Amino acid sequence: MEYLLIFISAIFVNNIVLSQFLGICPFLGVSKKIDAAIGMGVAVTFVLTLSTVVTYLVQIYVLNPYHLQYLQTLSFILVIAALVQMVEIILKKVSPALYQALGIFLPLITTNCCVLGVAILVIQKQYNLMESVVYAFSTALGFALALVLFAGIREQQALVKIPKGMQGMSIVLITASLLALAFMGFSGLQGGLSTLFGLN
């Protein structure tokens, strides 16, 4: 049940974009079309889960035993960048169709701060490997959900006449804040589930 709690909490209660404000650049930049949002969501889910596993193992088996915790951020950035490049090369050789589908989204993930943020958060929360995988996967799903919802709203906004003073980034930021408020409605869900399953 702890895994279920982590899963629901990461998607709805502590959404990485709308609650913790990580990954805002792709959230605002890639959310103009639903197709692009889905592509980015799939790429982030794949890379985020994989990079969290690798960085967790680096932390536990390299940094902690040799007391190199102060190199955490630097080593995680290098691991994520190398991992994204490796995934890109492998996909290009093994599955050109999938590589074409992900397109420009794979290189964009290298600079997506939510990937590094989740890698550091699982260490700070002292999760084990399985909890880290569940947290990373559900966080990526939460990111994808927020991105696709936001893209859908923005596509609808393109069909509506918006006052001149509100056009452009103004209406985008207002819409994002309203979506974040909507997700705040899930804040009582975590406590309710903890009480229900006796995890408190």
Side-chain angles (χ1 to χ4, degrees), residues 105-127:
F105 302 120
L106 273 175
L108 282 175
I109 294 168
T110 310
T111 56
N112 190 343
C113 60
C114 78
V115 179
L116 176 63
V118 170
I120 292 172
L121 280 171
V122 295
I123 304 301
Q124 287 178 350
K125 292 174 183 281
Q126 297 182 333
Y127 284 154

Side-chain angles (χ1 to χ4, degrees), residues 13-36:
V13 182
N14 297 316
N15 188 283
I16 196 78
V17 181
L18 301 173
S19 177
Q20 300 181 56
F21 308 113
L22 292 173
I24 293 289
C25 290
F27 180 70
L28 296 176
V30 190
S31 60
K32 292 178 183 175
K33 297 286 179 189
I34 290 179
D35 292 344

Side-chain angles (χ1 to χ4, degrees), residues 119-200:
I120 292 172
L121 280 171
V122 295
I123 304 301
Q124 287 178 350
K125 292 174 183 281
Q126 297 182 333
Y127 284 154
N128 60 36
L129 182 58
M130 192 60 198
E131 288 172 338
S132 299
V133 170
V134 171
Y135 180 75
F137 180 71
S138 51
T139 298
L141 286 182
F143 176 84
L145 174 66
L147 196 60
V148 170
L149 284 173
F150 194 52
I153 294 169
R154 288 185 73 179
E155 280 192 0
Q156 290 299 313
Q157 282 179 345
L159 306 174
V160 178
K161 189 174 181 182
I162 297 169
K164 194 172 182 181
M166 298 294 288
Q167 289 175 5
M169 196 50 69
S170 303
I171 193 67
V172 171
L173 292 174
I174 290 168
T175 306
S177 63
L178 290 173
L179 191 58
L181 281 172
F183 268 70
M184 280 180 65
F186 294 110
S187 59
L189 189 61
Q190 187 175 14
L193 285 173
S194 297
T195 306
L196 181 64
F197 295 118
L199 296 175
N200 275 345

